[in-house]
Amino acid sequence: MSPKKHGNDDTGGSVHGGNKLAYDQNFTPQVVAATGPQAHPRMAEIMPSLLRHLHDFAREVNLTAAEWTAAVDFINAAGKMSDNTRNETALICDILGLESLVDEITSKLLIQGANAGATPATPSTVLGPFYRTDAPILPNGSSIVSADAFKLWNGKGDDMTCFVSGRVLSASTGNPVSSAMVDIWLAGPDGLYEQQSAEVPDMNLRGRFQTDADGRYSIYCLRPTPYGIPDDGPGGALLKLLDRHHWRPAHIHFIVSAEGHNTLTTQVFDREGEWVKNDSVFAVKDELLVDFRAREDDDKAKWTLEYDFVLPEV
Ligand code: BEZ
Ligand code: FE
């Protein structure tokens, strides 16, 4: 897709579009009105808006048939590339900031309906395409890093060992929540999630930990490293066309769930890491920046992070 001017645009401002052409004003209302009385209620609510925005966009940029065909090919390629180890369509939504925006909308709706309390709830952020359900449930204090993985990383992980612990708290009371589930996953020091690598053992750097009677969880894992989101598919082609990088700042993913509370999907970001101000998927929030500290007297971890999750009650 090479950018070409349409018609006579000598304003110097616009490459595509810019020409104000006269289009049939009745066209969009006609398409909106085609929705029948038995339409799914939410679809009947949202489709008029989607159709108006979609048609206005096409008119505003003077979208051509060739560009539309390229867009269809792009979406089809993303679908064909997606399977249970890779979700290219979700990745494209991330690149476009759509997952972040939808996450913000969803969390605002949830907080509106939840019992707000004295302790501010931990902000959510995007799930991303690499989550896997059914990570092993492990006792507190165990490690999610396999010994074989350390060998495969050729020493790269050795200085990154990290003890992560904290509490799960209820926003309304500030009290600890016992039997909450802390589901954790992160990429390795090679920049890959375990399902992206044929050699790394299944479920490496993933685990689920239940909080104890004091609402505490504790996990041995790694201090995270920045990594590039996959750029060998349509998502990468899009980044290239937009002259954008593919880096994500170092982060750890969590899903925290507890009875009577809203489930939290979030990430914590290493404040000192690169790309925190320039995340390729726009997922960083100030409240989620954390400080890893050197850990003393523990052979199993060079770093430590203490982090509490605060969940609103349903
Ligand atoms: C992730 O953090 O795993 C992720 C999020 C969005 C796009 C790609 C990866
Ligand atoms: Fe990630």
Side-chain angles (χ1 to χ4, degrees), residues 17 35 143 146 164 268:
T35 299
S143 172
S146 103
V164 177
V268 295

Side-chain angles (χ1 to χ4, degrees), residues 91 94 126 128-130 193 227 229 248 251 253 267 281:
L91 186 69
D94 291 319
V126 303
F130 296 115
Y193 286 89
Y227 65 82
I229 60 173
R248 289 226 63 210
H251 61 276
H253 292 263
Q267 303 174 28
V281 303

Side-chain angles (χ1 to χ4, degrees), residues 61-280:
V61 303
N62 293 324
L63 194 73
T64 66
E67 288 167 338
W68 171 78
T69 303
V72 170
D73 288 346
F74 174 81
I75 292 168
N76 287 345
K80 283 183 194 150
M81 197 169 209
S82 299
D83 57 22
N84 61 356
T85 62
R86 177 159 187 172
N87 190 337
E88 190 70 8
T89 315
L91 186 69
I92 289 164
C93 290
D94 291 319
I95 289 167
L96 298 176
L98 187 61
E99 191 184 355
S100 256
L101 180 59
V102 167
D103 170 66
E104 191 192 2
I105 294 165
T106 308
S107 81
K108 284 209 188 316
L109 287 171
L110 272 178
I111 284 165
Q112 221 176 31
N115 294 319
T119 320
T122 306
S124 59
T125 191
V126 303
L127 175 69
F130 296 115
Y131 177 61
R132 286 181 68 190
T133 53
D134 302 324
I137 297 178
L138 300 168
N140 278 306
S142 38
S143 172
I144 58 171
V145 200
S146 103
D148 288 347
F150 275 114
K151 283 182 218 144
L152 284 165
W153 293 325
N154 288 327
K156 261 205 235 165
D158 299 1
D159 290 337
M160 304 302 276
T161 48
C162 185
F163 180 71
V164 177
S165 65
R167 294 170 303 166
V168 176
L169 305 172
S170 181
S172 55
T173 58
N175 290 337
V177 183
S178 61
S179 302
M181 189 64 92
V182 177
D183 194 340
I184 179 174
W185 71 105
L186 69 152
D190 55 355
L192 299 174
Y193 286 89
E194 49 82 24
Q195 73 265 54
Q196 296 177 282
S197 160
E199 295 92 46
V200 167
D202 192 44
M203 291 288 178
N204 187 54
L205 289 174
R206 295 177 191 274
R208 287 182 290 165
F209 295 78
Q210 209 163 25
T211 55
D212 65 14
D214 299 319
R216 293 200 69 85
Y217 69 92
S218 54
I219 305 162
Y220 281 95
C221 57
L222 295 179
R223 182 173 177 171
T225 19
Y227 65 82
I229 60 173
D231 62 357
D232 56 342
L238 179 62
L239 287 172
K240 212 172 208 163
L241 284 167
L242 296 175
D243 187 22
R244 280 175 48 182
H245 71 80
H246 72 145
W247 290 100
R248 289 226 63 210
H251 61 276
I252 305 178
H253 292 263
F254 294 95
I255 295 180
V256 184
S257 54
E259 217 181 303
H261 295 78
N262 285 322
T263 296
L264 169 70
T265 300
T266 197
Q267 303 174 28
V268 295
F269 298 90
D270 188 339
R271 193 189 307 277
E272 287 181 5
E274 248 186 297
W275 310 108
V276 277
K277 291 195 168 24
N278 195 8
D279 180 7
S280 59

Side-chain angles (χ1 to χ4, degrees), residues 22-35 47-48 50-59 63 68:
Y23 293 112
D24 177 1
Q25 296 202 340
N26 294 321
F27 181 71
T28 299
Q30 193 188 329
V31 177
V32 170
T35 299
M47 284 308 284
L50 175 64
L51 289 168
R52 274 195 305 273
H53 285 288
L54 198 60
H55 289 198
D56 281 346
F57 154 72
R59 282 184 286 258
L63 194 73
W68 171 78

